[in-house]
Amino acid sequence: MHIYKADQEPAVRSLGPENLLLKGATLKNTKKINGVAVYTGMETKMALNYQGKSQKRSAVEKSINAFLLVYLCILISKAVVCTTLKYVWQSKDGQDEPWYNQKTQKEKDTNMYVKMFTDFLSFMVLFNFIIPVSMYVTVEMQKFLGSFFITWDKDFFDPEIQEGALVNTSDLNEELGQVEYVFTDKTGTLTQNNMEFIECCIDGFQYRHRDELDGFTVTDGPVSKLQQKAGLEKEELFLRALCLCHTVQVKEDGAEETPGDQVDGVDGMFPQPEEERCFIASSPDEIALVKGAMRYGFTFLGLESKNMKIKNRQNDIEEYKLLHVLNFDPVRRRMSVIVQTKSGETLLFCKGADSSIFPRVKPEEVERIRLHVERNATEGYRTLCVAFKQLSAEEYAVADTGLREARLALQDREDKLMAIYNQVETGMSLIGATAVEDRLQEEAAETMEALQGAGIKVWVLTGDKMETAKSTCYACRLFQRGTELLELTVRTLEDGRTKREDKLLELLRDYHRRAVQDAPPVKAGVTRSWSTANQEYGFIIDGATLSLLMNPPRDADACLYRNLFLQICQNSTAVLCCRMAPLQKAQIVKMVKNSKGSPITLSIGDGANDVSMILEAHVGIGVKGKEGRQAVRNSDYAIPKLKHLKKLLLAHGHLYYVRIAHLVQYFFYKNLCFILPQFLYQFFCGYSQQPLYDAAYLTMYNICFTSMPILAYSLLEQHMAIEVLLDNATLYRQIAKNAMLRWRPFLYWTVLGIFQGLMFFFGVRFLFSNPALQDNGQVFGNWSYGTIVFTVLVFTVTLKLALDTRHWTWINHFVIWGSLAFYVFFSFFWGGIIWPFLKQQRLYFVFANMLSSVSAWLVIIILILLSLLPELLLVVLRKPRGPHSRQLSEETSTYTDRWLLSHPSPISI
Amino acid sequence: MAASYNAKEEDGHLSGSSGLGGTAIRTRKPDNTAFKQQRLPAWQPILTAGTVLPAFFVIGLIFIPIGIGLFVTSNNIKEIEIEYTGTETSSPCFNCSHNFSWNSTTPCKCVLSFFLDQPFESNVFMYYGLSNFYQNHRRYVKSRDDSQLNGDLNSLKDPSKECEPYRFNEKPIAPCGAIANSMFNDTLDLFYIDPNGTKNPIPLIKKGIAWWTDKHVKFRNPAGSNLTAVFRDTAKPVNWLKPVYELDTDSENNGFINEDFIVWMRTAALPTFRKLYRIIQKKNNMTPTLPRGNYTLEVTYNYPVRSFEGRKRMILSTISWMGGKNPFLGIAYITVGSICFFLGVVLLFIHHKYGNRNNSSDISN
């Protein structure tokens, strides 16, 4: 490649951000380009953004670890008790080594302490089944298989993008049932990010397009207007400005597929009836504006070699030479173009946020338009102001050279550009304003209401300005009419003469008094209802104030500020944080995450700016929106629309949590009552580590006999129908705060396990006080003892699960009765053959002989019944709000009644 | 209409997927199957007081009669236990137990007499019972070689390591292991003393005391016509008086398939246990198997238990369909039945008094 040619003067070109081809860019109008690779290796965005994605662990896993610790203690204490008692017992004469049971020479020679240690270890091995190792396998399987139900759910399927939900991690399924805080992005998440031109204001007159459906047919008619209209000249100037002042590109052949990756903001979802015109722009607002202008008769035809073509109302083609584009940036919050008309006039069109345009235009023009802009903003529209300026030849020459120089500057290019931009964009005259609506997502309000009903606090984190965000919040019913708003923004801080910091503290104290101290203590589980006299608070904070709050001038206050802030937030029904930088979003999430009680947080967003908060929260949800797939890729779950969040949390999350919580408790319980008889047997066999059960039973218990029913349960259980869960958001509160894995339910399950273990062992122990159990007088030995205990155990544990199962599909039937049948079959089989590879035929015909004994049958039946009796008793005695929350609570049952009445189908729940 | 709609959707899909640029995520509308949508038809039972309460009553009503039946059955079983350890000086077996020596060649005999105040009607089963004998000690339980006992010739020559220290006594021990070595070898004989003083031996049958499958499948003598020849290269267990091929004269009950041996080899579950020793068959319907009167038990005292403070006893028992005498099951059934019934009454009361609100809402549905 030649950069210089000998006979050519080297041309100096600047390379700036506008020359940067990002990953996935498409080449257009050229076969090839020469490029320079920048930001490679560790400087790539990917490498820089890589923040060592920390492993997200669910609250359930933390509970499991705590329980495990308890069981480990039980295991060790059991082993210690047995070892101690063994040596106490052996110290008696003749017990250690009676004549009939001599030790080998090796055993006699072993050191006493070594023996003690090996004894301890043997007991550990004997009792190690109490640690439910197989639970981890089952939990993993449950999570992996269970997450398919999210992918498969057709309710999550969005016909528009032809995609359903996506599960990136299966570790957090149950966390979806534990969410206490939802942090949502506004644009693209709460709203559709599908901009629509609503109205404009030209020279102070409002133009609202009434017949939106028929919009394209009235191309030739005058702009519909409310009362009066501005001069035609002004009108056309305004529309030309809309047509020219942008960076939109036209893709004529809209139906054709573009090879390569997605370009942000493709607007090709719905083919247009007349002209297959597709606009591509970096911001959806610009497309909306160009389309808006098109509806009023000015069509942007495209940019051809620096010439912008527009078709005016008379269907004439007007050509403008594009001289300069003064790019948009978030600091200036405006952009401009400098064009030259056919007649040689040089015009500058500028559009931008009201706050950045108003100071740069003639003050007398502002007032007329400000009214409209503010009204539009409160209605939730995104507003832009349009200004223009005619440049004289001299002015242009100055600007042109300035711009060129600044662009070529190798140092401080940004600053220089900024300076010249500011210099050029002065003294303009305001010609109008536009209002673009960012429509709410489907069912956004219902979803938010359901989330709040479920006791989830919703925080809206947005980069938008306060008025727009606030109106969105009202539209989403996050703020209600009666909600008292507590504002903590730059504006409220600055209206006093006091210093900002002092004012901040003062306001914080004031709000804290109102929201926290004066509020009556909220009873757990009280629904948000209209009848309660509780004042609801909405809290609003903006980015600048937040950074002041997070990094106060005096470090000592940081903690105080933060506590006050958090307490206010926790007592508000909804919190709105506007003007947030992406990092601040993550900061907020982190602050809530680490606050008292470490609540479970969920972030939902669709854009790259939400990635940091998605990664920060316990559960990150990506919306498959229009802003690329960055958020989806970094999320734990991705859903096509915001409305799907409701089912994801209320139905899937709730069910997953109940399932896995039950699974965990059940596993601990079943291993406890499995191993407890073995422990008790040590007291009767001289603490000799004699196992009660045969080795095959020991191994198969967790693998085959009792694993499948609980797996099926944990995949299929619906303790309440999905419709009921969706209709009664309050049900979600029942499982809040890890309700089923707290110490109380854990204690209940443990006590149940101990009770049943005692039953199994001592029931059979009393039966064996006379081991002649067959009607031919023959006696049973120790393996029969173990087999009877084991049979009772397998049946009890399986039937206990059957009692807990509320949703019996054929799979449950098959697996529960199947594993019992398999146990019987296996026992026959295992005891029916002399196995050549076994050293000892311990179980040879033990099971069959057991079944031939009536007494064994009777004891098995009564022990199973007796073990399940407490469970049955609890069903009758359990208060409506039991530790398992399986029974419908009182208030819920009324909901359910209503549901049943409104759905007269014979579904019982 | 439908067609055009579909076409439109297809169109939208095309441009949509092109925008997303991924062919991998082509239209993957989830299947609308009952399983995938978690809508499998399901039976949804609700355990409520209404369904559980009757169950309590039913359980009570079934269990109490069963329990009474079991209790009566157990009480009708006649059982007598004669302890003959000989720990006390007054005991006839005191001398035998006191002077026990492994090396004595002459068997020590002792005679105990007892009185049956009730006749034993049906078949009578004779057990020996041991106490504080840990047959379930791990070292003991595993000290056997089942393949040797199954007649495997290799194991006969080279018994399993588990048998240590009862594996070799210069020659391989058959049967090896601690269990076999400590086989119970007291001989118990029973005599009925006529009212006129004559001593009638009671025929004791030694067949049918071991599990059928043990006797016929699990235990087998090594192949060979002559047991003596088969066991030629083996040593007898250390504590045995006779080698294994001299346990009985009957070839069907000799060697490994000796039923006394098989019974002993089935290790007991608890340190106090009984094992079936002999069966006294009923002669005819007219006379009881063991009529009321005086009996003597003649013990050939070979088995020492005093070193580990054990006890030996002889038990005579009749057997019912539920096995030997054991009041536990009857009591358990009566108790559980009563508890269920009682709970049923209490809960019904509670339910009626406090559960009205729930009831009314149920009815309104």
Side-chain angles (χ1 to χ4, degrees):
Chain A
M1 188 174 97
H2 299 281
I3 294 177
Y4 292 109
K5 282 181 183 158
D7 54 339
Q8 225 175 5
E9 187 74 7
V12 181
R13 297 274 184 278
S14 74
L15 293 176
E18 67 275 7
N19 300 91
L20 203 61
L21 295 178
L22 295 175
K23 195 181 81 175
T26 330
L27 273 193
K28 250 183 65 172
N29 303 337
T30 175
K31 280 256 161 54
K32 63 161 195 171
I33 50 165
N34 295 329
V36 178
V38 289
Y39 300 123
T40 57
M42 286 312 288
E43 287 183 335
T44 53
K45 209 166 186 180
M46 215 148 56
L48 288 174
N49 276 344
Y50 182 74
Q51 40 174 270
K53 201 174 175 183
S54 59
Q55 182 78 36
K56 286 186 180 179
R57 282 201 311 161
S58 72
V60 167
E61 279 172 68
K62 284 169 199 153
S63 304
I64 293 178
N65 289 345
F67 297 166
L68 210 60
L69 222 58
V70 173
Y71 271 66
L72 208 64
C73 292
I74 296 180
L75 170 67
I76 290 172
S77 53
K78 273 182 177 178
V80 167
V81 164
C82 280
T83 318
T84 319
L85 287 176
K86 177 176 176 133
Y87 283 87
V88 171
W89 179 77
Q90 281 182 356
S91 63
K92 245 168 81 187
D93 250 3
Q95 299 282 43
D96 186 22
E97 204 179 358
W99 65 264
Y100 59 85
N101 193 10
Q102 300 280 318
K103 293 177 183 173
T104 58
Q105 198 56 42
K106 211 172 124 201
E107 280 173 314
K108 283 179 191 164
D109 293 344
T110 322
N111 180 298
M112 160 103 159
Y113 294 101
V114 174
K115 257 195 288 187
M116 271 182 162
F117 184 65
T118 47
D119 274 329
F120 174 75
L121 287 187
S122 312
F123 281 120
M124 292 285 277
V125 170
L126 190 68
F127 302 143
N128 80 67
F129 293 91
I130 200 173
I131 304 294
V133 180
S134 58
M135 180 180 73
Y136 284 91
V137 182
T138 316
V139 164
E140 283 308 312
M141 262 164 77
Q142 192 267 349
K143 286 181 169 181
F144 175 70
L145 297 175
S147 58
F148 279 114
F149 284 118
I150 294 180
T151 329
W152 284 336
D153 196 325
K154 71 173 166 39
D155 291 352
F156 292 157
F157 182 75
D158 189 52
E160 206 173 291
I161 59 169
Q162 292 286 315
E163 268 184 77
L166 179 75
V167 178
N168 287 332
T169 172
S170 55
D171 279 348
L172 300 168
N173 291 344
E174 69 275 5
E175 207 82 332
L176 294 173
Q178 291 293 304
V179 174
E180 288 169 69
Y181 285 88
V182 166
F183 298 95
T184 167
D185 174 43
K186 191 183 79 72
T187 315
T189 309
L190 274 180
T191 58
Q192 286 182 349
N193 203 14
N194 183 7
M195 305 298 167
E196 193 157 342
F197 186 87
I198 293 296
E199 63 174 41
C200 57
C201 157
I202 305 172
D203 209 21
F205 299 105
Q206 188 191 15
Y207 288 73
R208 181 177 267 270
H209 204 76
R210 280 200 194 125
D211 40 358
E212 287 175 5
L213 289 175
D214 224 7
F216 296 109
T217 57
V218 287
T219 40
D220 278 328
V223 175
S224 339
K225 60 221 133 207
L226 205 60
Q227 295 140 346
Q228 306 142 297
K229 70 182 217 178
L232 190 69
E233 208 172 306
K234 288 252 181 177
E235 220 177 274
E236 295 200 335
L237 180 69
F238 176 78
L239 292 173
R240 281 198 186 96
L242 287 190
C243 273
L244 294 171
C245 182
H246 54 70
T247 55
V248 174
Q249 304 207 343
V250 175
K251 194 158 65 122
E252 289 284 350
D253 36 5
E256 222 174 84
E257 284 191 49
T258 38
D261 217 331
Q262 180 203 17
V263 181
D264 275 354
V266 160
D267 192 30
M269 296 306 178
F270 33 88
Q272 280 146 26
E274 290 176 17
E275 296 158 67
E276 290 293 318
R277 191 173 301 280
C278 225
F279 296 111
I280 304 174
S282 54
S283 133
D285 295 66
E286 291 200 320
I287 295 177
L289 291 179
V290 171
K291 280 194 176 158
M294 194 158 84
R295 267 191 294 185
Y296 293 130
F298 277 80
T299 313
F300 175 62
L301 292 177
L303 180 71
E304 268 171 34
S305 57
K306 292 262 171 196
N307 277 327
M308 291 179 110
K309 283 197 214 159
I310 54 177
K311 188 164 78 179
N312 66 12
R313 282 185 183 159
Q314 285 76 39
N315 272 339
D316 296 333
I317 309 277
E318 298 176 16
E319 271 192 32
Y320 295 89
K321 191 170 179 207
L322 181 63
L323 299 172
H324 284 286
V325 177
L326 282 58
N327 278 328
F328 178 85
D329 71 64
V331 182
R332 286 197 306 141
R333 303 176 53 77
R334 61 179 182 270
M335 71 153 297
S336 309
V337 289
I338 301 176
V339 293
Q340 195 173 34
T341 57
K342 272 264 169 75
S343 51
E345 282 175 295
T346 312
L347 298 171
L348 178 138
F349 293 108
C350 177
K351 73 171 196 283
D354 48 4
S355 57
S356 64
I357 296 281
F358 287 165
R360 309 186 163 269
V361 297
K362 297 173 190 102
E364 65 271 13
E365 290 168 336
V366 170
E367 281 316 309
R368 287 178 293 171
I369 300 229
R370 184 198 290 276
L371 209 71
H372 289 281
V373 171
E374 280 179 356
R375 188 175 48 78
N376 283 337
T378 49
E379 279 168 10
Y381 301 139
R382 296 157 78 92
T383 54
L384 284 175
C385 294
V386 183
F388 106 107
K389 169 180 170 185
Q390 192 155 8
L391 295 172
S392 62
E394 299 83 52
E395 275 178 313
Y396 174 68
V398 172
D400 185 46
T401 43
L403 285 167
R404 277 176 205 283
E405 270 172 22
R407 284 211 180 115
L408 291 181
L410 292 176
Q411 277 164 2
D412 302 329
R413 190 189 300 161
E414 305 252 308
D415 296 342
K416 284 181 184 164
L417 270 175
M418 195 70 72
I420 190 83
Y421 284 170
N422 282 340
Q423 196 187 320
V424 174
E425 291 165 337
T426 44
M428 302 179 288
S429 50
L430 193 61
I431 45 178
T434 59
V436 170
E437 189 189 13
D438 189 2
R439 284 219 230 137
L440 280 188
Q441 287 277 8
E442 300 163 57
E443 294 173 35
E446 288 86 342
T447 308
M448 288 302 132
E449 213 165 28
L451 292 186
Q452 289 196 329
I456 300 172
K457 299 224 162 69
V458 181
W459 292 36
V460 178
L461 309 181
T462 175
D464 277 1
K465 55 201 257 186
M466 195 188 93
E467 287 75 20
T468 322
K470 203 157 85 179
S471 59
T472 310
C473 285
Y474 273 113
C476 295
R477 285 179 235 166
L478 280 174
F479 293 160
Q480 310 268 359
R481 205 178 301 272
T483 309
E484 190 179 335
L485 294 183
L486 311 174
E487 278 181 34
L488 201 64
T489 54
V490 179
R491 218 167 57 194
T492 53
L493 288 186
E494 274 174 352
D495 58 8
R497 284 167 300 279
T498 44
K499 265 170 67 188
R500 275 171 45 158
E501 291 80 39
D502 300 337
K503 180 77 183 168
L504 173 69
L505 188 62
E506 185 188 317
L507 273 174
L508 273 175
R509 288 236 159 91
D510 177 42
Y511 291 159
H512 184 259
R513 204 189 60 244
R514 275 153 70 183
V516 183
Q517 289 163 5
D518 293 354
V522 183
K523 273 183 278 173
V526 168
T527 31
R528 179 186 146 135
S529 58
W530 305 112
S531 56
T532 49
N534 276 352
Q535 176 65 46
E536 289 180 7
Y537 293 98
F539 189 65
I540 302 174
I541 189 167
D542 65 1
T545 319
L546 184 77
S547 61
L548 188 69
L549 198 118
M550 301 292 254
N551 315 304
R554 294 186 300 272
D555 276 349
D557 297 338
C559 207
L560 173 71
Y561 281 12
R562 210 175 279 209
N563 279 341
L564 286 174
F565 173 64
L566 268 177
Q567 284 184 17
I568 298 169
C569 289
Q570 278 159 2
N571 278 37
S572 311
T573 43
V575 176
L576 166 63
C577 306
C578 40
R579 290 272 186 248
M580 289 282 142
L583 208 69
Q584 279 184 314
K585 292 184 178 181
Q587 241 176 350
I588 287 203
V589 174
K590 191 171 191 169
M591 186 175 71
V592 172
K593 197 169 94 172
N594 296 332
S595 69
K596 208 177 96 224
S598 46
I600 309 293
T601 53
L602 178 145
S603 291
I604 178 165
D606 71 324
N609 59 344
D610 306 318
V611 168
S612 57
M613 78 170 181
I614 285 176
L615 289 178
E616 185 63 48
H618 291 100
V619 187
I621 307 235
V623 174
K624 296 180 173 179
K626 297 184 177 169
E627 292 191 31
R629 302 185 70 84
Q630 193 89 316
V632 172
R633 266 199 295 269
N634 285 290
S635 64
D636 302 309
Y637 300 91
I639 46 178
K641 288 273 168 66
L642 177 79
K643 65 175 178 180
H644 300 135
L645 188 64
K646 180 181 170 189
K647 192 176 181 190
L648 191 66
L649 295 188
L650 296 191
H652 285 283
H654 193 142
L655 288 179
Y656 281 129
Y657 176 74
V658 169
R659 289 167 183 173
I660 202 145
H662 197 274
L663 173 109
V664 169
Q665 298 279 26
Y666 179 76
F667 254 96
F668 279 105
Y669 144 82
K670 88 179 162 94
N671 281 296
L672 182 63
C673 60
F674 172 46
I675 232 61
L676 189 65
Q678 182 131 289
F679 167 69
L680 294 170
Y681 193 56
Q682 300 309 309
F683 292 82
F684 296 88
C685 71
Y687 313 98
S688 59
Q689 299 111 27
Q690 170 63 22
L692 181 59
Y693 317 114
D694 182 58
Y697 284 156
L698 277 175
T699 334
M700 303 274 282
Y701 176 70
N702 272 324
I703 300 173
C704 301
F705 300 145
T706 58
S707 63
M708 291 316 283
I710 183 64
L711 183 65
Y713 173 93
S714 65
L715 286 174
L716 301 168
E717 172 68 353
Q718 291 174 31
H719 65 299
M720 286 176 212
I722 288 178
E723 290 81 7
V724 179
L725 291 176
L726 285 178
D727 285 0
N728 307 305
T730 42
L731 290 174
Y732 195 79
R733 294 168 188 237
Q734 291 185 348
I735 54 160
K737 305 253 177 213
N738 214 356
M740 287 175 72
L741 287 175
R742 283 157 159 264
W743 289 110
R744 251 183 73 122
F746 175 69
L747 197 69
Y748 166 74
W749 282 91
T750 309
V751 168
L752 187 73
I754 290 173
F755 166 75
Q756 296 192 348
L758 290 171
M759 279 295 144
F760 302 158
F761 184 79
F762 284 107
V764 184
R765 159 76 188 79
F766 286 121
L767 185 75
F768 266 69
S769 53
N770 182 354
L773 292 171
Q774 284 184 288
D775 56 0
N776 57 8
Q778 292 171 359
V779 294
F780 280 168
N782 66 320
W783 298 117
S784 302
Y785 190 111
T787 306
I788 295 177
V789 173
F790 193 75
T791 308
V792 178
L793 169 76
V794 168
F795 273 80
T796 307
V797 160
T798 310
L799 290 177
K800 155 81 179 138
L801 187 68
L803 274 183
D804 289 341
T805 305
R806 288 280 163 281
H807 191 79
W808 286 81
T809 63
W810 65 267
I811 301 174
N812 293 87
H813 280 291
F814 177 75
V815 167
I816 286 185
W817 310 126
S819 51
L820 289 182
F822 175 73
Y823 166 67
V824 174
F825 169 77
F826 174 83
S827 299
F828 268 118
F829 182 63
W830 187 242
I833 297 174
I834 299 273
W835 294 97
F837 57 86
L838 284 184
K839 275 203 196 121
Q840 295 201 7
Q841 313 294 335
R842 295 156 163 176
L843 287 196
Y844 188 68
F845 263 76
V846 162
F847 192 74
N849 262 307
M850 181 191 89
L851 292 188
S852 73
S853 157
V854 183
S855 295
W857 278 89
L858 288 172
V859 86
I860 289 171
I861 290 169
I862 197 168
L863 286 181
I864 293 173
L865 196 105
L866 201 58
S867 305
L868 295 176
L869 199 62
E871 196 69 9
L872 288 172
L873 208 61
L874 269 184
V875 171
V876 188
L877 288 182
R878 189 177 288 151
K879 284 177 196 138
R881 205 166 306 181
H884 299 265
S885 66
R886 194 162 300 121
Q887 291 271 323
L888 295 181
S889 73
E890 208 176 305
E891 69 187 290
T892 325
S893 64
T894 54
Y895 271 111
T896 318
D897 294 346
R898 229 169 47 199
W899 180 80
L900 281 173
L901 286 175
S902 56
H903 301 252
S905 51
I907 307 166
S908 63
I909 43 140
Chain B
M1 184 64 205
S4 72
Y5 174 72
N6 282 343
K8 209 168 167 185
E9 199 176 62
E10 186 62 34
D11 193 12
H13 153 63
L14 271 177
S15 56
S17 80
S18 74
L20 295 166
T23 44
I25 22 170
R26 210 162 260 290
T27 171
R28 239 197 256 155
K29 191 176 168 97
D31 299 340
N32 190 10
T33 56
F35 173 69
K36 290 189 174 180
Q37 301 306 322
Q38 305 196 60
R39 291 193 190 286
L40 281 177
W43 173 54
Q44 289 157 318
I46 321 174
L47 285 180
T48 59
T51 51
V52 173
L53 277 179
F56 275 115
F57 286 113
V58 170
I59 291 168
L61 289 178
I62 294 174
F63 274 29
I64 293 174
I66 292 179
I68 292 170
L70 284 169
F71 193 69
V72 170
T73 313
S74 173
N75 270 357
N76 284 342
I77 293 173
K78 307 216 168 52
E79 192 178 279
I80 182 168
E81 283 195 19
I82 314 288
E83 216 218 84
Y84 68 92
T85 323
T87 41
E88 284 149 47
T89 42
S90 59
S91 167
C93 291
F94 177 74
N95 278 339
C96 284
S97 76
H98 201 69
N99 301 330
F100 178 80
S101 141
W102 288 109
N103 302 326
S104 73
T105 44
T106 50
C108 177
K109 286 201 174 192
C110 50
V111 178
L112 296 96
S113 51
F114 59 96
F115 179 72
L116 275 188
D117 52 0
Q118 275 183 321
F120 282 29
E121 297 285 348
S122 58
N123 286 352
V124 178
F125 295 77
M126 188 178 185
Y127 297 89
Y128 58 88
L130 294 174
S131 299
N132 204 26
F133 190 102
Y134 283 85
Q135 249 204 332
N136 58 4
H137 196 282
R138 178 154 165 269
R139 202 184 326 130
Y140 188 83
V141 169
K142 65 177 188 177
S143 183
R144 64 193 286 163
D145 185 347
D146 275 345
S147 49
Q148 189 191 47
L149 298 174
N150 199 27
D152 186 75
L153 283 171
N154 293 330
S155 300
L156 191 70
K157 301 270 152 43
D158 183 22
S160 156
K161 284 193 188 66
E162 306 283 353
C163 285
E164 289 289 1
Y166 304 99
R167 191 171 165 216
F168 283 103
N169 187 11
E170 286 160 9
K171 284 190 274 185
I173 294 176
C176 77
I179 312 178
N181 179 61
S182 58
M183 181 182 158
F184 182 78
N185 57 0
D186 281 358
T187 313
L188 307 173
D189 289 303
L190 205 56
F191 297 93
Y192 172 59
I193 314 294
D194 262 357
N196 50 21
T198 48
K199 202 168 134 183
N200 300 320
I202 294 170
L204 302 175
I205 293 166
K206 49 183 150 185
K207 273 201 173 153
I209 56 173
W211 290 13
W212 190 92
T213 46
D214 282 1
K215 164 104 179 166
H216 293 93
V217 188
K218 192 174 169 185
F219 288 78
R220 247 187 260 162
N221 279 323
S225 52
N226 189 349
L227 273 188
T228 320
V230 170
F231 285 109
R232 195 179 48 223
D233 288 332
T234 62
K236 73 173 172 66
V238 194
N239 291 343
W240 282 22
L241 299 172
K242 298 178 278 190
V244 66
Y245 48 87
E246 285 172 18
L247 283 176
D248 200 356
T249 47
D250 180 7
S251 67
E252 284 301 302
N253 196 28
N254 200 9
F256 291 154
I257 55 169
N258 178 277
E259 290 203 26
D260 283 326
F261 175 65
I262 295 172
V263 165
W264 181 256
M265 291 305 284
R266 182 156 293 282
T267 46
L270 299 166
T272 299
F273 60 90
R274 64 173 70 176
K275 280 180 188 289
L276 189 53
Y277 184 65
R278 293 289 181 266
I279 300 170
I280 306 163
Q281 217 117 45
K282 188 173 180 170
K283 278 160 280 184
N284 51 49
N285 282 338
M286 301 309 288
T287 51
T289 324
L290 292 181
R292 185 173 188 271
N294 282 311
Y295 291 83
T296 55
L297 173 69
E298 281 192 24
V299 180
T300 314
Y301 201 110
N302 294 324
Y303 205 72
V305 291
R306 288 188 62 183
S307 59
F308 52 88
E309 294 183 352
R311 293 278 182 279
K312 295 195 285 190
R313 63 200 194 281
M314 188 279 300
I315 302 138
L316 289 172
S317 168
T318 58
I319 286 289
S320 72
W321 49 272
M322 57 170 282
K325 193 180 182 85
N326 192 353
F328 163 70
L329 266 184
I331 294 171
Y333 266 79
I334 294 173
T335 316
V336 172
S338 315
I339 289 175
C340 282
F341 200 82
F342 175 72
L343 281 177
V345 173
V346 170
L347 293 177
L348 195 66
F349 177 71
I350 293 175
H351 190 61
H352 259 279
K353 194 157 181 197
Y354 300 102
N356 281 335
R357 190 189 48 222
N358 292 346
N359 275 351
S360 63
S361 74
D362 281 349
I363 291 160
S364 74
N365 273 326

